[in-house]
Amino acid sequence: MAYIGLLHYSCPPVVGGVEEIIHQQALLFHRYRHHVKILAGKGKQFTEIFEVEINPLLDSRHPQISQLQLNPGKNLAALHQYEKEILAYLHTSLHQYDILIAHNVLTMHYNLPLTRAIHRLASSSSIKVISWNHDSPYFYTNYPRRLDDPAWEILKKLNPKITYVVISEARAKEFKSLYHTRKKFIVIPNGIDPYRFFRLDVNTIRLIREERLFESDLLLVQPSRLHPRKNIELSIQVIKAFHDLGIKAKLLLTGVYDPHEKKASYYFRKLKDLSERLGVSEDIIFIAEHVFKSGQKLTPDRVTMRDLYLISDCLFLPSKQEGFGLPLLEAGMIKLPIACSDIPPFRSIAHNNVFYFSLTDSPQQIAQRLAEYLNNLNPHLMYNRVIRNYTWDYIYLKKIQPFLEAL
C-alpha cells in the first residue's frame, strides 16, 4: 500500500467543502490500508486515526505572504524565500511518501509560494504529485485583475511532471480551456460517506459491507416479527419477482422468533426453505439471526432498526392483519417510500400517501407496479443514484484505486 500525503490550505475543524473532502479521502485511504497524512496551514490534529501536520506557511491567509503577493513583481525576492522554506519543509515532511495529492493549491491564488514550491517538488523529487482540481478564479468574469500579473501565469500552466484530476466533466472542459490543452483529464467526482452522514452504528456498517447492501438495486426493509400473519412468504416471492425483472433486490427482515416455540421455529424454517427453493436465499437477510464472518452474532436494537430504515429504498409491509402499523409512522418520519397491503389499519394511517397492493395480487404484479411507482419518485431515484455511484467506497474501487495503480 502507498504512503499518501493530502495537502490543502486548511483542514478540520476548519469548515469548508475541500476541508471535508480531504477528511473523507484520508479516512477512505486509511480504510484501504494506505498510510495517510494531512498537511495543512490551519486546523488541528482532529483525529487519532492518522497524522495531521499543521504548518502556517501552507495557510491561505498567511499574513506576510498574503501582503507580499498583492504585488508579486515588486516582492519577488521575499516570495522566493518563502517558496524555498516551503519546499524544504515538503521535502522533509514527505521524504518517505509515494504520493502527494494537492487539493486546489495549484489552481487557486491564495498562496503563490506554496503553488511554486509544489511545482518544484514535482520536478525535483521522486514523489508523484497529483493536482486535484476543484476550481479556478479564472472561471469567473469578476476574478481579481491583479491575477493578470505574469507571476500568476503558473495557475494556467500544465506541468508535465504533475498528474491532474478534476471533479467533473464540466470542470474538465473548463480546465482544458484554461490550460490551452487537448489533454484528457482524469475525472474523479467528490463523494459522500453514508456511514458518517447517517451516523450509522458500527454493526450496521459491518452488515452493509459483508452483505454488500449498497451494491443492490433495491433494498426493502420489513420490520416484522416472524409470524404467518405478517405474510413474509409474499415478501420473499416479491424479491424473486424483482430478480426476474432484472432488478437485484434484497430484503431486510428485522423480526425475531422464539426458537423454543414450536410454531415459530416451523415458520422460520419454512421461510428459509422457500428462499432457498426460489434461489434468493442470499438476498433474504434475517437480521435477528445474522452472524458476521467473524462468528459474532448481530444483536439488533433500536439503533439498528433506525439504521435499516435510513439505508433502505422502501418499507415493505404485506401483512394480512394488523391492529395498527407503527412502521408506517417510523418510515413517514424519515420520508421513506412505503409499500403495503391494502388493509384498513394501514389505510387509516397512510390515506393515499403510500403504494398499496391487494393481497390477491401476484408477486409479479406487485414487483412490476412497485418498480414503476418507485421509478416515478424523483427523491428515490436521486437517493438510488447517489448510493450506487457516489459513495466513497464505490469511487475508490471503481476510479481511485485503478488510477493510483496506473501512476
Side-chain angles (χ1 to χ4, degrees):
M1 294 290 101
Y3 277 62
I4 301 175
L6 294 163
L7 187 150
H8 186 54
Y9 303 116
S10 54
C11 69
V14 176
V15 177
V18 179
E19 286 79 2
E20 177 61 18
I21 294 300
I22 64 168
H23 182 189
Q24 292 187 11
Q25 282 193 352
L27 290 170
L28 181 73
F29 290 138
H30 178 269
R31 189 155 68 242
Y32 285 95
R33 311 296 185 187
H34 298 287
H35 185 94
V36 184
K37 176 165 67 173
I38 288 179
L39 295 81
K42 184 185 296 182
K44 292 181 180 178
Q45 179 70 50
F46 60 89
T47 178
E48 297 180 358
I49 298 175
F50 46 78
E51 185 180 358
V52 178
E53 210 168 82
I54 304 299
N55 184 331
L57 289 174
L58 310 183
D59 194 359
S60 61
R61 295 184 179 181
H62 186 282
Q64 287 75 36
I65 292 175
S66 296
Q67 189 62 36
L68 290 169
Q69 66 185 19
L70 290 175
N71 193 339
K74 180 181 176 182
N75 301 309
L76 198 59
L79 288 169
H80 183 62
Q81 183 58 38
Y82 278 114
E83 177 187 330
K84 288 186 356 183
E85 291 179 32
I86 293 171
L87 180 60
Y89 160 71
L90 293 176
H91 273 299
T92 301
S93 181
L94 297 169
H95 76 281
Q96 290 185 328
Y97 280 70
D98 305 301
I99 298 167
L100 173 65
I101 300 177
H103 279 271
N104 246 13
V105 297
L106 297 183
T107 64
M108 298 302 290
H109 56 296
Y110 299 125
N111 190 323
L112 182 58
L114 173 59
T115 301
R116 293 181 60 84
I118 293 175
H119 274 275
R120 288 179 61 184
L121 179 74
S123 300
S124 63
S125 172
S126 60
I127 192 169
K128 297 169 183 175
V129 175
I130 299 168
S131 179
W132 208 285
N133 294 8
H134 299 256
D135 204 358
S136 165
Y138 298 107
F139 295 159
Y140 310 97
T141 56
N142 62 342
Y143 72 87
R145 294 304 155 187
R146 63 184 177 81
L147 298 185
D148 290 331
D149 187 290
W152 293 104
E153 284 295 308
I154 195 168
L155 300 181
K156 301 179 182 180
K157 291 183 178 178
L158 283 176
N159 184 331
K161 297 287 188 178
I162 294 175
T163 302
Y164 292 83
V165 171
V166 295
I167 59 172
S168 67
E169 292 291 349
R171 278 292 189 247
K173 292 178 182 178
E174 291 173 313
F175 276 109
K176 280 184 180 181
S177 176
L178 179 69
Y179 292 143
H180 301 290
T181 182
R182 294 182 179 179
K183 177 183 174 66
K184 183 175 177 61
F185 291 113
I186 297 156
V187 178
I188 300 178
N190 294 334
I192 192 165
D193 182 349
Y195 312 130
R196 290 180 64 237
F197 186 83
F198 288 140
R199 297 179 180 270
L200 299 179
D201 180 72
V202 62
N203 283 328
T204 307
I205 295 171
R206 290 177 67 187
L207 179 70
I208 291 169
R209 290 177 176 161
E210 290 193 7
E211 295 295 333
R212 303 169 73 174
L213 298 183
F214 286 158
E215 295 180 31
S216 63
D217 296 329
L218 185 64
L219 202 55
L220 303 183
V221 60
Q222 183 175 351
S224 304
R225 289 187 300 112
L226 302 188
H227 191 282
R229 64 181 172 82
K230 301 296 183 179
N231 204 12
I232 297 169
E233 300 96 323
L234 179 57
S235 304
I236 295 171
Q237 291 166 342
V238 167
I239 292 297
K240 167 60 174 171
F242 274 121
H243 286 201
D244 292 341
L245 291 173
I247 298 170
K248 295 186 297 181
K250 288 182 180 287
L251 176 66
L252 302 174
L253 285 166
T254 67
V256 299
Y257 77 100
D258 183 354
H260 303 293
E261 208 280 308
K262 191 173 182 180
K263 288 184 178 179
S265 295
Y266 171 76
Y267 187 58
F268 174 68
R269 289 196 304 273
K270 178 182 176 182
L271 296 175
K272 294 284 284 186
D273 289 344
L274 175 63
S275 62
E276 290 175 7
R277 191 165 67 251
L278 295 179
V280 295
S281 57
E282 293 186 359
D283 300 295
I284 310 298
I285 301 166
F286 294 86
I287 300 299
E289 298 299 313
H290 185 78
V291 177
F292 293 114
K293 292 179 180 177
S294 65
Q296 178 188 348
K297 192 175 186 300
L298 172 60
T299 304
D301 54 20
R302 288 305 302 171
V303 173
T304 310
M305 297 302 104
R306 180 214 63 175
D307 288 353
L308 298 180
Y309 277 119
L310 288 173
I311 67 172
S312 294
D313 295 294
C314 183
L315 171 70
F316 192 77
L317 291 180
S319 302
K320 297 176 181 178
Q321 288 180 304
E322 289 289 353
F324 187 68
L326 183 61
L328 298 177
L329 304 186
E330 294 169 333
M333 283 293 290
I334 64 163
K335 306 170 188 176
L336 179 67
I338 298 168
C340 62
S341 53
D342 192 356
I343 59 177
F346 291 168
R347 276 279 180 187
S348 68
I349 296 170
H351 293 268
N352 294 319
N353 299 310
V354 303
F355 171 84
Y356 292 105
F357 54 86
S358 170
L359 290 171
T360 61
D361 290 342
S362 70
Q364 293 74 23
Q365 289 174 317
I366 295 171
Q368 182 67 54
R369 288 180 53 231
L370 179 54
E372 293 170 358
Y373 173 80
L374 293 173
N375 285 336
N376 283 308
L377 297 179
N378 287 339
H380 164 76
L381 295 177
M382 185 59 190
Y383 172 81
N384 194 283
R385 179 170 173 77
V386 170
I387 214 70
R388 275 76 186 179
N389 296 283
Y390 289 97
T391 63
W392 275 119
D393 284 309
Y394 175 87
I395 291 170
Y396 179 83
L397 294 171
K398 296 295 184 180
K399 295 180 179 291
I400 296 178
Q401 185 178 48
F403 163 65
L404 294 179
E405 290 174 350
L407 278 177

